[in-house]
Amino acid sequence: DWISAREDSPASAAPSLAPVRAEPSRLDAVAVAELLAIARRGEIALLRRRLEDWKGDPLVDALEPFAKSYRMERIRELLESRLAELRARA
């Protein structure tokens, strides 16, 4: 018999640490740098408002669960990684 985690357990409530979907993001380096600056300042309310502007974007969809759970370190990691990718292509 398989035993699965209950939906209300802490493990199932935590956002996934899976990488961002393979679909391309519409956010350019300027937008990603702006989000990163906001995240570095720890302005979660402003960050969540900015994420609403780009709702549906793969990167934003990956960031939203972390913003809702105040996982600023993980947000910064994802944004720094994406910004490095964009700069490497330029």
Side-chain angles (χ1 to χ4, degrees):
D1 289 336
W2 288 93
I3 299 174
S4 61
R6 291 182 19 201
E7 277 192 40
D8 59 351
S9 72
S12 64
S16 169
L17 296 179
V20 178
R21 294 187 313 227
E23 297 172 37
S25 174
R26 297 182 314 267
L27 277 64
D28 61 12
V30 173
V32 174
E34 177 190 354
L35 292 174
L36 180 57
I38 293 167
R40 285 180 174 158
R41 292 191 307 265
E43 296 182 56
I44 192 67
L46 178 58
L47 179 68
R48 290 176 73 176
R49 285 194 304 270
R50 291 290 192 265
L51 293 178
E52 281 295 317
D53 294 340
W54 292 297
K55 196 167 191 79
D57 183 87
L59 177 60
V60 170
D61 290 347
L63 292 171
E64 282 184 317
F66 297 115
K68 288 179 181 175
S69 60
Y70 301 92
R71 302 275 311 273
M72 297 303 284
E73 183 176 330
R74 185 65 178 133
I75 292 168
R76 287 188 298 269
E77 289 172 358
L78 285 172
L79 290 170
E80 287 167 352
S81 173
R82 180 65 181 150
L83 189 57
E85 289 173 14
L86 291 169
R87 288 180 174 164
R89 290 184 200 162

